[in-house]
């Protein structure tokens, strides 16, 4: 693909109230009206340019929403106080009692727990399938299925969804395809490939500073308005509204997203290639050995690379923990969940971000105890980082001197 979303974002130009180069922050929870009728019309959704109450909307949130719509090329976008706030709002807006979801088996642990454990209160059931197996996806669809849900690049196994093929399948059955594109902003333009709704955890790459939690839904104007409806909008009634100050901060950080994603991808590809050559079990979509490499390559906006996430399997949880602790002591990054920070973050997902998934299901999908998920940082000298990481591996005998995996 060649969707120029970075150009579209850069073309968004706002002036602050006093001519500032950044839009003014709407630091108010409620807004005044010159007439009672205008207030009534705003409640009914019949006015534009009027703000009622910040749980519903605010200028700062709308500015950020416009930038996110430009990112994915959708008509509109809503912002939320967390990625899970965005995801849960979408699911509850689309699904009623006794209905059904087809979801990828490898997804963020919080999303899995919401679908598997929380939705059963409403008799909403989920079939978790290998999203790369279109036959399995098709066989899981029932007359009560209301959505197909996947991650463009899955957490934590980095499986790559064929969004075009899934979109075609979803349209055949007249159900929406919902794609979480948190791992691959700019690299993959999910809406351009056929996704009906795209969700993001803004906490990660889009904000890029690990200083806030936020989420987004990018979709049609109609669906975004449904989410904000004062009577039955899940986004409105769940109350997961993003604070205006944070929205303004994220908008400023989005201006450098294209630069950051290129560097994250460049560094991750270098490390993945080096460690694979050393004989380690590496998973990275940019490697020809990755099962989804061809799919990613066909779908990608090539200038942004294959993303900043990779995994290494070092054999056991004890070894994974020892390796991560040593890397942190050597200032190579942080033993922490999340991703998209300037510094490399690493965690063992089986006992952290994916711990909500039962052990037998982890085993079935190939989520091993020794798997480490890396969010590769913006290191200026990635060769130096590689040498330092390899020294840690040699010290722990993850690698032998000649480079073979122990």
């Amino acid at each position: 693909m060649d969707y120029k979303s970075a150009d579209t974002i850069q073309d968004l130009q706002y002036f602050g109230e006093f001519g500032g180069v950044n839009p003014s922050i709407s630091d108010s929870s409620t807004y005044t009206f010159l007439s009672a009728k205008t207030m009534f019309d705003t409640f009914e959704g019949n006015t534009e340019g009027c703000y009622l109450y910040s749980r519903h909307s605010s200028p700062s949130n709308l500015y950020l929403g416009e930038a996110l719509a430009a990112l994915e090329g959708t008509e509109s976008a809503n912002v939320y106080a967390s990625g899970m706030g965005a995801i849960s709002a979408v699911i509850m807006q689309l699904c009623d009692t006794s209905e059904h979801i087809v979801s990828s088996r490898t997804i963020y642990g919080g999303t899995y727990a919401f679908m598997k454990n929380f939705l059963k209160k409403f008799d909403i059931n989920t079939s978790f399938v290998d999203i790369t197996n279109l036959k399995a996806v098709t066989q899981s669809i029932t007359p009560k299925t209301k959505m197909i849900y996947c991650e463009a690049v899955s957490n934590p196994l980095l499986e790559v969804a064929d969004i075009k093929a899934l979109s075609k399948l979803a349209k055949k059955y007249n159900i929406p395809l919902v794609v979480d594109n948190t791992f691959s902003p700019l690299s993959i333009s999910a809406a351009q490939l056929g996704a009906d709704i795209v969700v993001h955890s803004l906490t990660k790459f889009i904000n890029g500073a690990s200083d806030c939690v936020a989420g987004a839904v990018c979709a049609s104007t109609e669906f975004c308005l449904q989410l904000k409806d004062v009577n039955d909008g899940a986004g409105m009634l769940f109350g997961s509204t993003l604070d205006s100050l944070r929205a303004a901060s994220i908008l400023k950080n989005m201006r450098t997203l294209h630069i950051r994603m290129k560097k994250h991808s460049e560094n991750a590809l270098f490390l993945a290639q080096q460690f694979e050559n050393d004989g380690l079990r590496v998973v990275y979509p940019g490697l020809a050995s990755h099962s989804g490499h061809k799919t990613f390559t066909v779908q990608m906006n090539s200038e942004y690379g294959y993303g900043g996430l990779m995994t290494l399997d070092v054999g056991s949880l004890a070894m994974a923990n020892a390796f991560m602790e040593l890397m942190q002591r050597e200032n190579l990054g942080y033993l922490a969940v999340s991703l998209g920070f300037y510094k490399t973050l690493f965690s063992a997902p089986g006992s952290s971000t994916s711990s909500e998934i039962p052990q037998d299901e982890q085993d079935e999908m190939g989520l091993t105890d020794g798997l480490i998920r890396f969010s590769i940082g913006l290191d200026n000298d990635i060769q130096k980082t590689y040498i330092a990481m390899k020294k840690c591996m040699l010290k722990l005998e993850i690698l032998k001197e000649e480079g073979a995996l122990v």
Side-chain angles (χ1 to χ4, degrees):
M1 286 196 69
D2 192 29
Y3 179 60
K4 299 294 185 182
S5 54
D7 292 347
T8 308
I9 294 170
Q10 292 293 318
D11 287 342
L12 291 172
Q13 192 163 304
Y14 305 108
F15 294 96
E17 183 180 359
F18 303 104
V21 294
N22 289 308
S24 301
I25 299 172
S26 53
D27 193 21
S28 296
S29 61
T30 190
Y31 298 84
T32 62
F33 294 87
L34 296 179
S35 74
K37 184 180 185 307
T38 306
M39 178 182 282
F40 172 79
D41 289 341
T42 303
F43 261 108
E44 294 296 304
N46 298 325
T47 56
E48 291 187 11
C50 291
Y51 300 95
L52 177 69
Y53 184 56
S54 285
R55 180 160 59 87
H56 185 262
S57 187
S58 71
S60 295
N61 286 11
L62 284 178
Y63 291 141
L64 178 58
E66 287 179 356
L68 289 159
L71 172 69
E72 288 292 349
T74 56
E75 291 179 341
S76 189
N78 295 345
V79 294
Y80 295 89
S82 70
M84 282 306 302
I87 291 165
S88 58
V90 168
I91 292 172
M92 297 308 291
Q93 194 69 33
L94 293 175
C95 298
D96 289 327
T97 301
S98 302
E99 293 182 336
H100 176 251
I101 298 167
V102 175
S103 171
S104 172
R105 63 181 182 174
T106 57
I107 53 175
Y108 170 57
T111 310
Y112 175 91
F114 184 78
M115 291 180 174
K116 182 72 176 288
N117 304 326
F118 190 83
L119 290 181
K120 66 184 181 182
K121 298 179 180 181
F122 306 96
D123 193 27
I124 298 172
N125 298 305
T126 304
S127 296
F128 295 98
V129 301
D130 179 354
I131 206 69
T132 66
N133 184 337
L134 290 177
K135 183 178 180 181
V137 176
T138 304
Q139 290 175 341
S140 297
I141 296 172
T142 75
K144 291 188 175 183
T145 302
K146 293 301 176 181
M147 60 187 288
I148 298 174
Y149 183 94
C150 70
E151 295 172 347
V153 180
S154 76
N155 185 3
L157 297 183
L158 309 184
E159 293 179 341
V160 179
D162 187 337
I163 297 172
K164 277 190 174 180
L166 290 168
S167 173
K168 184 177 179 180
L169 180 62
K171 285 175 172 56
K172 177 181 177 181
Y173 288 93
N174 196 32
I175 52 179
L177 172 63
V178 181
V179 176
D180 182 337
N181 201 23
T182 298
F183 274 27
S184 46
L186 291 178
S187 294
I188 292 178
S189 299
Q192 304 306 303
L193 293 166
D196 298 287
I197 300 166
V198 182
V199 296
H200 282 277
S201 170
L202 305 181
T203 312
K204 315 300 193 302
F205 287 114
I206 289 177
N207 182 54
S210 289
D211 61 356
C212 77
V213 176
V217 176
C218 307
S220 67
T221 299
E222 180 184 11
F223 185 71
C224 288
L225 287 175
Q226 287 175 9
L227 287 170
K228 292 196 291 186
D229 190 280
V230 296
N231 295 303
D232 59 7
M236 175 67 171
L237 298 175
F238 283 179
S240 55
T241 307
L242 180 61
D243 178 75
S244 293
L245 294 171
R246 280 305 185 190
S249 176
I250 295 167
L251 178 61
K252 288 193 281 282
N253 288 345
M254 275 194 75
R255 306 302 189 186
T256 62
L257 177 62
H258 60 296
I259 301 170
R260 292 185 282 110
M261 287 310 302
K262 289 176 184 179
K263 192 62 175 176
H264 283 302
S265 294
E266 175 189 317
N267 285 351
L269 177 60
F270 178 85
L271 290 177
Q273 290 172 334
Q274 296 300 316
F275 288 132
E276 185 173 62
N277 290 338
D278 288 333
L280 287 162
R281 294 188 287 273
V282 187
V283 175
Y284 180 69
L287 297 174
S289 59
H290 189 286
S291 60
H293 176 70
K294 290 182 179 178
T295 301
F296 198 120
T297 302
V298 169
Q299 295 184 142
M300 73 188 296
N301 298 308
S302 57
E303 66 178 304
Y304 301 110
Y306 292 88
L309 275 295
M310 75 171 197
T311 69
L312 290 176
D313 193 330
V314 296
S316 70
L317 180 59
M319 184 61 76
N321 289 340
F323 181 40
M324 291 187 292
E325 290 169 4
L326 180 56
M327 284 191 293
Q328 182 166 253
R329 289 197 298 271
E330 295 296 326
N331 297 324
L332 288 168
Y334 295 106
L335 204 177
V337 298
S338 198
L339 48 127
F341 195 40
Y342 84 96
K343 194 81 170 175
T344 295
L345 304 178
F346 32 82
S347 61
S351 57
S352 59
T353 54
S354 296
S355 59
E356 297 92 338
I357 302 174
Q359 187 61 51
D360 60 332
E361 295 183 33
Q362 290 189 31
D363 295 341
E364 184 179 348
M365 67 178 65
L367 178 50
T368 59
D369 286 344
L371 191 77
I372 302 173
R373 188 191 73 182
F374 289 83
S375 170
I376 303 302
L378 301 173
D379 305 39
N380 184 57
D381 186 350
I382 196 63
Q383 173 72 25
K384 175 185 175 184
T385 300
Y386 163 67
I387 292 170
M389 290 178 69
K390 189 171 181 179
K391 284 182 178 178
C392 293
M393 294 178 182
L394 291 169
K395 184 174 183 178
L396 294 171
E397 297 187 340
I398 295 170
L399 286 173
K400 295 180 181 178
E401 285 296 338
E402 63 269 23
L405 183 66
V406 175

